[in-house]
Amino acid sequence: MGGSMADTPLRRHRAAPLAEPANTEAKPVPKTLRRNGAKARLLDSAQTETSPAKSPSGERLRSCKHDAITRAAAETFLAEGFERASLDQIAHRAGVSKQTIYSHFADKEALFKAICTELTETLTIPLRQGPVASDLRSILIRLGEDALALMLRPAALDLHRLVASAAPRFPELGQVAYDAGAGRMLADLSALLVERSRVGDGLARPVGPARAELLAEQFVGMLRGFHQARGLLGVKPMPAAKRRTYVASCVELLLGSA
């Protein structure tokens, strides 16, 4: 999971809205959805975008329900585990009908994928902003600092533990988490390295896709180092200033080896 930096909108799971039963429209979100420890913090890092509604009030209502569903799902997955968590439990926590969940997400796996994506997709936005955004060295430093910060967030550590515990029984769940996180980051970083190498930005010579994929994986691996292991084990993290120096060193190693 790279983990897998700027506060920008994420890709969204979009679906056409279904009719909402009348007795659920005004049902309040339970107090258990307040941000409170591990169960609620999985969704602390991002807000979600929803399909357009016919009016501003309708759009706000749909957005609130979408947010309530993902927060309730995060609580339920952490409390029950992926296997035992059910859409009925999530609907109850969110204060919506099961039909409403299906109007936002195709199934439980799609809902879990949305949580993974919301935690990781912002990391890759700077990698896709085009050549005018910044020079390669600056982009890599920003990526490295933000990636480490994300890896050490309690929300990201919670998600890592959840996926690690469920993956042996549900390999497809691990694949979903990887594709939405580390896999996405590696693909975007590889593409950036190929593009910038062709114009001589930070790299001494052009690199092909295979070489770029290797460099991207090595870079992300260097970034993770033992930082994530310390976080998972509750060991005191490296001070922020020292972490910035560490990231800069990783960037220099990448650019020098290319």
Side-chain angles (χ1 to χ4, degrees), residues 136-138 140 193 201-204 215 219 250-258:
L136 180 60
R137 178 177 275 98
S138 298
L140 292 176
L193 292 176
D201 179 11
L203 300 171
L215 291 172
F219 179 64
C250 290
V251 171
E252 294 307 319
L253 285 172
L254 169 65
L255 297 180
S257 66

Side-chain angles (χ1 to χ4, degrees), residues 7 63 82 96 115-116 138 141 169 175 192 197 219 221 231 239 244 247 258:
D7 292 328
S63 178
F82 182 81
V96 301
I115 295 173
C116 296
S138 298
I141 288 175
R169 288 178 58 82
Q175 189 67 52
L192 179 72
S197 72
F219 179 64
R244 287 192 293 271
V247 169

Side-chain angles (χ1 to χ4, degrees), residues 71-93:
R71 290 184 184 279
E75 287 190 352
T76 307
F77 287 141
L78 285 171
E80 305 294 338
F82 182 81
E83 180 180 11
R84 294 186 301 274
S86 70
L87 292 182
D88 287 322
Q89 291 172 312
I90 294 170
H92 178 73
R93 283 179 183 266

